[in-house]
Structure formats: C-alpha cells, structure tokens
Amino acid sequence: ANTLMGSLPAAAQRAESTAWRTAPAAGLTFAKQLRRRISAIETGVHILKPSGGTYTLASRNSPLPVTIKNDLNVPVVVRVQVTSANGLPGFSASNVGELRIPAGANLPLHIPTQIDRTGRFVVQATLYTPRGDVQLGPTVFLRVHSTALGAIGVIITISAAAVLVLALLIRLLRRLRNPKPAPGTAPPLIAP
C-alpha cells in the first residue's frame, strides 16, 4: 500500500491548495491527473469478462470459473463476492476468503457454488478490498446455464424411469404367456 498509495495524501493536499488560485488551469490539470491515478489504482485489479459470456454448470455444486487480473506493479490482496443478480433464489457461492494476486498476474479461480434450480440466470462477481469496504474494478455480470436437476426434477426423472421399467415388465410377461407362432406357420383355426 505504501509503494502504491504512499504519495496520494500529499497529492490530494496539493490539489486542494489555495496556491492554485493564481493558476486555476494548472490546478485543474493537476486534479485531473490525480483523479486518473486514483482511478487506475481502483481499476488496476479487476475480474476478466468471459470470452464466451455463458458458463454451463452441470451439477448442483459445480465450481464457477472466474479470473482476476492484477495490472498493478505490486501484489494485492482482495476478496471476491459472487451473488445472483437481482437477488434471485436458487444460487449461492462460497466465500473463498482473501486472495493474494502477484503483480502483473492473472489468478484463475474455481468458486464453489450451490445451485437449486435449472435454467439460465445472471450472477454478478465483484472484487473488494480485504475488509470488504471498497469495491475494486467494475462488477462483472456472468450468464450461467444450469442443467442440474433440483429435487422436483429428480422425483420426476425417477418416477418416469419406474413407469418405463414397469411397462417393459408387463410387456415381457405378456409375451411369455402368449408366445408368437413361428414364422411361416398358419395360426390355429378356431371353429365358430
């Protein structure tokens, strides 16, 4: 933090100095440069947007792949939070704790999730400082397609399989009771 932000308090004081009254244009230029530097620090660590845009999760506890990029020249420690957009139920992600990202590196993660429904929905991934009080970089929205079966889906699938097995057994029993005649033989004549 000292390497990256050690001079910021003094720079903020210089930007607010009354000495800029005689040169307001230079003061405005200095303030804009300071704001760009602060913005570069805030967005220097961010979550990469997925190239395909959609992740398919096949089970109720599939991990969600997320990559964090550190463009800064110092290592940083962050927290990542993944939640469903708009607070929709049926999705939750585990807290992976503090993550240390080396300077200029990417950190691929597989965040454990719990999915209780099938279908397509949107989740949001956000980076925070270790205390969780300051957001770093923009929130990234990820489209998720879940093919996991919920409790109702499992019950329906098991019921359908049971009905299929029962139908096959009934058909097999009927064939064993009434065997078909060999090909080329005439069926027995029944007198009227």
Side-chain angles (χ1 to χ4, degrees):
N2 287 337
T3 303
L4 194 61
M5 298 184 293
S7 63
L8 288 181
Q13 287 178 347
R14 281 193 299 275
E16 295 174 349
S17 174
T18 57
W20 296 114
R21 278 195 243 169
T22 58
L28 184 60
T29 301
F30 183 80
K32 286 180 181 178
Q33 289 173 348
L34 178 60
R35 181 64 204 141
R36 278 194 297 270
R37 183 172 168 206
I38 292 170
S39 179
I41 292 170
E42 289 176 344
T43 60
V45 181
H46 56 278
I47 297 173
L48 292 177
K49 292 183 180 178
S51 59
T54 300
Y55 293 111
T56 300
L57 304 178
S59 69
R60 295 184 68 198
N61 56 359
S62 294
L64 180 67
V66 173
T67 302
I68 302 172
K69 182 168 179 57
N70 180 4
D71 290 328
L72 303 174
N73 58 0
V74 294
V76 295
V77 177
V78 297
R79 286 188 180 273
V80 63
Q81 181 181 15
V82 178
T83 58
S84 65
N86 303 324
L88 292 175
F91 175 85
S92 62
S94 297
N95 182 356
V96 292
E98 292 183 0
L99 304 166
R100 182 177 175 81
I101 305 165
N106 291 350
L107 178 66
L109 297 173
H110 293 282
I111 299 173
T113 62
Q114 181 69 32
I115 302 169
D116 297 328
R117 65 185 179 101
T118 60
R120 297 179 190 271
F121 50 97
V122 177
V123 299
Q124 57 190 27
T126 310
L127 280 182
Y128 291 98
T129 56
R131 289 190 301 200
D133 54 352
V134 177
Q135 181 176 336
L136 301 171
T139 297
V140 174
F141 293 92
L142 309 168
R143 288 180 301 219
V144 175
H145 179 215
S146 171
T147 57
L149 292 177
I152 293 174
V154 170
I155 290 170
I156 291 172
T157 303
I158 290 172
S159 300
V163 168
L164 178 64
V165 168
L166 183 62
L168 289 173
L169 284 173
I170 291 172
R171 184 171 181 161
L172 180 64
L173 289 173
R174 284 184 182 168
R175 282 193 182 231
L176 290 174
R177 285 186 191 162
N178 301 323
K180 287 187 177 181
T185 61
L189 294 176
I190 300 176

